[in-house]
Amino acid sequence: MPSLISQYLQSLGIADPQGGGWLTVLATFAVAALVTWRSVPALVRFAKRVGWADDPNERRLNSEPLPNVGGLAVFGGVVLALLVALLLRPTVLDDVLVKIAVILLGGSLLVIVGFIDDQYGLPASFRLLVQLGTALLLYAGGVRISATFGLPVDPALSLGLTVLWVVGVTNAVNLIDGVDGLAGGVALITALFLLAASAQFEQRAAATLLLAALAGAVLGFLRHNLHPSRIILGDAGAYFIGYLLAATAILGNLKISTVWALVPTALFLAIPILDTTQVVFRRLALRKNPLSSPGKDHLHHWLLARGLDQHRVAVLLWGLTLTSGTIAMRAQGMNWAVTLTSGLGAALLLAFATWRRRRAERNGS
């Protein structure tokens, strides 16, 4: 390998450019992208045949039934990619399999509940109860925020912060999924930034592989989800993506000793978190239940009302996510090579997915 390329890879945190670890991460990403990309058309046809779709109504932007099972393709892409990674590097993965299994178990439960809700409807209280259960599963599996204030209540604070973070981020990603390509693009950007950050630490190998699989699967899905979309994530997909992002963001044994210590991590997901926060406060001010009172009060609704089309809204919020992710990387001490490479990589992948979607639209496919 030319020395210049080797030096560049080392500047990105790849200690052994000649080794197979980083190639396994790339392979995981590629397999997830390919599996999801190629499986969606068949899933769209099947969903239309059996009626797994969101019908138009006053809240939705689609003018005809739109398949809502994209989350199944994303989930399948992630799982198959991780199985390939296990085959490629079985000895390396031995140490991280437990945490990966815990996260996938919780994610699987949310996919099942989200799918049932998409097709038949479930009470908001039941969905919240399942989300609380999956957050507790993470805590029990060692994926948690560790409070280190030196107080007797530190264990309780750790539990409370972990549950609040996981449930909050899971719902934030779901709530921002209101415009073609928006949630997927935000998830892709966030996953790549988190991947670049976690790759700097050997003990975060589980997060690195999960994020590579998630980023690849979301990229493959975006090819079909960008405006005008052929399929949407549904609650199953949005819950799964939000849960994985929440879990991997704290998988590196995040410790906080001040109330501000969580801010750099939260910056990776600033747009969904800020959007959800303002919606919750606005609905509470109107004496509405934030979980069961849907309305057109999200940031993307505000932008649409001011004349932007769906794609421009998505691109604008992608740009804000890139900005907040860059700030988050620098706040966590990442160098400019890592920060710019991950940000530019996300932008190029989104541009590629957009080009492919536009070309397919011109070709009528």
Side-chain angles (χ1 to χ4, degrees):
M1 180 180 293
S3 59
L4 187 61
I5 297 177
S6 179
Q7 291 174 6
Y8 173 69
L9 291 175
Q10 288 178 343
S11 73
L12 299 181
I14 299 172
D16 183 14
Q18 305 291 340
W22 70 282
L23 292 175
T24 300
V25 173
L26 285 179
T28 302
F29 174 88
V31 170
L34 183 61
V35 168
T36 308
W37 188 310
R38 303 303 298 176
S39 66
V40 166
L43 188 58
V44 168
R45 292 191 295 269
F46 181 79
K48 287 181 176 179
R49 189 161 64 247
V50 300
W52 291 346
D54 278 357
D55 294 321
N57 61 33
E58 66 278 1
R59 288 194 302 108
R60 298 191 176 111
L61 300 176
N62 52 302
S63 57
E64 59 184 31
L66 191 61
N68 56 9
V69 289
L72 300 183
V74 172
F75 176 76
V78 169
V79 172
L80 287 175
L82 290 172
L83 288 175
V84 170
L86 178 61
L87 293 174
L88 290 175
R89 304 276 289 181
T91 56
V92 174
L93 290 182
D94 284 346
D95 295 333
V96 299
L97 274 179
V98 173
K99 288 186 176 178
I100 290 177
V102 167
I103 293 172
L104 286 182
L105 176 58
S108 300
L109 292 173
L110 289 176
V111 168
I112 293 170
V113 170
F115 175 78
I116 295 172
D117 183 51
D118 288 328
Q119 311 314 324
Y120 308 106
L122 287 171
S125 57
F126 179 78
R127 285 180 276 136
L128 179 60
L129 183 63
V130 174
Q131 292 168 13
L132 290 171
T134 57
L136 292 173
L137 177 65
L138 286 182
Y139 185 86
V143 182
R144 63 182 67 167
I145 297 171
S146 298
T148 56
F149 295 95
L151 302 173
V153 295
D154 277 356
L157 286 174
S158 177
L159 176 61
L161 287 170
T162 301
V163 170
L164 179 64
W165 171 259
V166 174
V167 173
V169 171
T170 299
N171 282 287
V173 172
N174 184 47
L175 291 173
I176 204 173
D177 185 26
V179 170
D180 291 346
L182 175 55
V186 169
L188 176 63
I189 295 166
T190 305
L192 288 175
F193 274 126
L194 288 172
L195 168 60
S198 67
Q200 309 303 308
F201 306 95
E202 187 176 352
Q203 68 271 26
R204 299 184 188 178
T208 302
L209 281 173
L210 281 166
L211 288 163
L214 179 61
V218 170
L219 176 64
F221 171 74
L222 277 173
R223 157 65 175 78
H224 308 279
N225 177 243
L226 293 172
H227 188 69
S229 64
R230 302 176 60 200
I231 188 171
I232 58 176
L233 284 168
D235 285 351
Y239 285 161
F240 179 67
I241 290 172
Y243 185 75
L244 257 63
L245 289 176
T248 51
I250 62 174
L251 188 52
N253 195 25
L254 179 63
K255 292 182 172 64
I256 62 169
S257 55
T258 71
V259 293
W260 303 109
L262 194 57
V263 172
T265 301
L267 281 172
F268 285 111
L269 289 148
I271 300 305
I273 290 174
L274 290 175
D275 178 63
T276 300
T277 301
Q278 66 89 19
V279 166
V280 168
F281 279 108
R282 180 175 297 183
R283 292 179 185 176
L284 288 175
L286 296 173
R287 297 184 179 180
K288 295 181 178 180
N289 185 336
L291 295 178
S292 59
S293 304
K296 294 188 175 182
D297 48 6
H298 290 277
L299 181 56
H300 52 268
H301 291 130
W302 185 84
L303 293 171
L304 287 169
R306 275 145 186 80
L308 276 71
D309 62 25
Q310 290 197 54
H311 186 65
R312 285 187 173 87
V313 169
V315 171
L316 175 59
L317 294 178
W318 293 346
L320 292 175
T321 303
L322 282 167
T323 301
S324 65
T326 299
I327 296 171
M329 292 287 281
R330 295 297 293 164
Q332 294 205 348
M334 300 296 115
N335 63 47
W336 277 113
V338 174
T339 302
L340 294 178
T341 298
S342 52
L344 182 60
L348 290 174
L349 288 173
L350 287 169
F352 173 72
T354 301
W355 169 70
R356 292 287 301 186
R357 183 70 194 101
R358 294 290 174 84
R359 193 177 77 164
E361 181 66 16
R362 288 195 299 268
N363 294 336
S365 61

